[in-house]
Amino acid sequence: MNTAAVESETLSPASDRHTSSKAHGKHKNHGSSRVRSSTTAHRAWTGLRYVLLVFFSVLVLTPLYALLVTSFKRPSEYSQSTAWKLPSTWSVEGWQSAWHVLAPALGRSLVLAVVAAVLSAVLGSLNGYIFAKWKFPGSHVIFVLFLFGMFIPYQAIMIPLSGMMLDVQASAPWFAGIPTLILVHIVYGIPICTLIFRNYYATAVPTEIIEAARVDGANTFSTYNRVVLPVSVPGFIVTLIWQFTSAWNDFIFALFLTNQNNGPVTFGLNALASGQNPNYPQIMAGVLVASLPTLIVYIALGKYFVSGLMSGSVK
């Protein structure tokens, strides 16, 4: 009996090792199955995302396909039943006629967008610098009043604004057309540009640098020119793209304050699309021509636009 007990005690370590190895094997198999299920779920989610991406891409690009295909058709070939079909004979007649009609308005729009974007960005930068780094009595109230300009509907001020501009143009005829739109877009662009620059300077420009410049004897504008302006490139990229797009795509101001002879490309495009018998290839080509400048701007500077928006978001 003692011999049996000794044998049992001798065999028990081997039995424990066998049981432990079986438990470890089960745990390993369970861990492997969890990894496989996690990998499968990740692959399924990745595939679903790609499917959704393709679906929404097709949804967004479908109107562009219709525009592009129709612009290369002859006027006699277009109909609603063949709108999605490729042209039987490719023609650039619509592009040529659209360019002939819109070329003067494209030049006027380019002047409007560039001048309005640059001036409103510069003024917004100066305002943002003052509100962010030079506190004075009532600065917060004045800043809030600046922001109110962003929330005033254009339609609410259009009639008094057009009356005021007509009075100005009566004494200064040269001010009609694009100069009027430049002034309006500068004034209405200042609030959003001021907000963007104020937030950017408040977070991206340390106050200690401004104070050090004051100690060295620099005044307000010297500090701006030598210290703040060199680090303002991200803010300028954001505001320039924003204001360029806003001025280029504007129609309501152009409708009230200009006419077909001195208005921007949006007004010319509206005139191109009007009439009893519209030339659809010409209209579609005109839409594409009018959209190219903003498309080029976003393709060239889109990544800088996003980085500029994020650069002033955190300290």
Side-chain angles (χ1 to χ4, degrees):
M1 195 169 176
N2 293 335
T3 305
V6 171
E7 290 179 355
S8 175
E9 291 177 359
T10 305
L11 294 176
S12 60
S15 176
D16 291 343
R17 286 195 298 271
H18 180 67
T19 304
S20 176
S21 63
K22 287 177 66 177
H24 179 70
K26 290 182 180 179
H27 180 71
K28 185 176 181 180
N29 292 336
H30 181 65
S32 300
S33 64
R34 273 198 304 182
V35 170
R36 284 195 299 269
S37 62
S38 177
T39 303
T40 303
H42 178 71
R43 289 176 179 175
W45 173 239
T46 302
L48 178 61
R49 285 190 295 178
Y50 277 112
V51 170
L52 291 175
L53 179 63
V54 171
F55 171 76
F56 285 110
S57 298
V58 171
L59 195 65
V60 171
L61 294 176
T62 297
L64 180 61
Y65 166 79
L67 286 173
L68 194 62
V69 168
T70 304
S71 68
F72 287 102
K73 293 179 179 179
R74 296 185 182 276
S76 59
E77 188 180 354
Y78 176 81
S79 65
Q80 292 185 356
S81 59
T82 62
W84 302 99
K85 296 181 181 179
L86 294 174
S88 57
T89 303
W90 292 80
S91 173
V92 294
E93 179 183 345
W95 287 84
Q96 291 174 344
S97 59
W99 176 259
H100 178 73
V101 174
L102 295 179
L106 283 169
R108 294 192 293 267
S109 281
L110 186 61
V111 173
L112 163 66
V114 171
V115 175
V118 171
L119 292 181
S120 58
V122 171
L123 294 175
S125 175
L126 289 168
N127 291 336
Y129 164 63
I130 295 299
F131 284 124
K133 299 302 180 182
W134 293 78
K135 301 299 182 181
F136 54 90
S139 60
H140 180 71
V141 175
I142 296 176
F143 178 66
V144 172
L145 292 177
F146 260 91
L147 296 185
F148 280 163
M150 297 170 51
F151 304 103
I152 299 176
Y154 295 160
Q155 297 85 347
I157 51 89
M158 201 56 63
I159 293 178
L161 177 64
S162 60
M164 184 176 66
M165 290 296 105
L166 286 175
D167 292 339
V168 174
Q169 293 168 14
S171 57
W174 58 268
F175 195 69
I178 296 302
T180 299
L181 292 182
I182 289 176
L183 176 62
V184 170
H185 279 286
I186 290 174
V187 171
Y188 278 93
I190 286 177
I192 182 64
C193 292
T194 299
L195 175 63
I196 292 173
F197 275 108
R198 188 260 184 192
N199 292 341
Y200 176 75
Y201 291 146
T203 56
V205 179
T207 305
E208 291 77 9
I209 297 179
I210 307 298
E211 294 175 350
R214 293 180 188 176
V215 171
D216 291 339
N219 58 26
T220 303
F221 291 102
S222 296
T223 305
Y224 174 78
N225 290 330
R226 298 180 182 180
V227 177
V228 177
L229 189 60
V231 298
S232 302
V233 174
F236 272 103
I237 290 176
V238 172
T239 52
L240 287 173
I241 294 176
W242 187 285
Q243 287 301 107
F244 181 93
T245 306
S246 176
W248 185 275
N249 292 333
D250 169 63
F251 178 68
I252 186 169
F253 283 131
L255 183 63
F256 278 83
L257 303 177
T258 62
N259 55 54
Q260 187 175 351
N261 296 323
N262 60 12
V265 68
T266 50
F267 202 108
L269 192 62
N270 178 67
L272 189 69
S274 61
Q276 297 295 327
N277 297 308
N279 186 341
Y280 285 103
Q282 182 188 38
I283 295 171
M284 301 303 178
V287 170
L288 292 172
V289 169
S291 303
L292 281 178
T294 52
L295 183 62
I296 293 172
V297 167
Y298 271 105
I299 290 176
L301 302 175
K303 61 179 181 180
Y304 301 107
F305 182 80
V306 176
S307 61
L309 282 176
M310 297 300 297
S311 60
S313 60
V314 294
K315 289 189 177 182

